Amino acid sequence: MNAPLRSGAKPRLEDFPYRLSDNVRFADLDPNQHVNNAVYATYFETGRVTLMKDRSYGLMPEGVSWIMVRLDMHFRAELRWPGTIEMGLGVVKFGRTSVTFDQVVFSEGECVASAQSVSVLLGEATRKPTPLTPDILANFQRWIRRGVNPA
């Protein structure tokens, strides 16, 4: 059984095997002087794209690309500038042509936002969903979220 993030659950950064850091930019703020809700989609995108487009991980062989088809975000706390963030990502489910990720944004040890996203593998020539290959599935294994069986 898959274990998506529950809105009341407190995610732990150490459960997310893929992590990266970024800065909160002044331009990320809205008139309320906290990070605008739309900016979180960019933070989550940075995590996914940085992982999946790095050819050394073997998640995007020649002839295929990924497209995000769903993003569900949960805002947990205000995030202000200046500051740094830690982003985490972990695989929670494999479909025939898709991968589902849990993602988090942490600031000063607190989870300020979480999301679940679904990306579909496309054939570049056909622009249609294409099945995950055994190699892609094998290369994703190191990125499975702790405590989840993504069967």
Side-chain angles (χ1 to χ4, degrees), residues 9-148:
K10 288 190 177 180
R12 300 176 322 157
L13 188 58
E14 60 266 23
D15 291 339
F16 296 84
Y18 186 75
R19 294 185 213 132
L20 62 155
S21 301
D22 203 353
N23 292 312
V24 176
R25 290 166 284 285
F26 183 77
D28 295 346
L29 304 181
D30 64 16
N32 294 317
Q33 298 303 301
H34 60 220
V35 171
N36 183 277
N37 60 356
V39 173
Y40 287 92
T42 302
Y43 294 159
F44 293 127
E45 176 186 57
T46 297
R48 286 188 314 278
V49 170
T50 303
L51 171 67
M52 294 168 72
K53 291 204 180 264
D54 184 332
R55 295 263 184 206
S56 71
Y57 294 135
L59 303 175
M60 200 169 84
E62 295 295 324
V64 297
S65 62
W66 291 97
I67 186 168
M68 187 186 63
V69 299
R70 184 174 183 111
L71 177 63
D72 296 315
M73 296 186 289
H74 180 134
F75 306 105
R76 297 169 174 272
E78 283 187 307
L79 181 57
R80 297 186 174 274
W81 174 87
T84 58
I85 56 173
E86 296 292 322
M87 297 174 281
L89 178 145
V91 173
V92 294
K93 181 181 177 185
F94 294 114
R96 189 178 71 81
T97 63
S98 65
V99 177
T100 302
F101 300 102
D102 278 351
Q103 297 184 254
V104 290
V105 174
F106 274 73
S107 176
E108 298 179 4
E110 179 183 15
C111 183
V112 295
S114 58
Q116 191 165 86
S117 62
V118 180
S119 293
V120 171
L121 187 65
L122 293 181
E124 287 182 345
T126 65
R127 301 306 293 167
K128 299 214 182 281
T130 188
L132 302 178
T133 66
D135 284 346
I136 291 172
L137 288 167
N139 291 334
F140 265 121
Q141 296 306 303
R142 70 190 276 197
W143 309 117
I144 294 173
R145 182 178 171 205
R146 185 186 305 177
V148 173

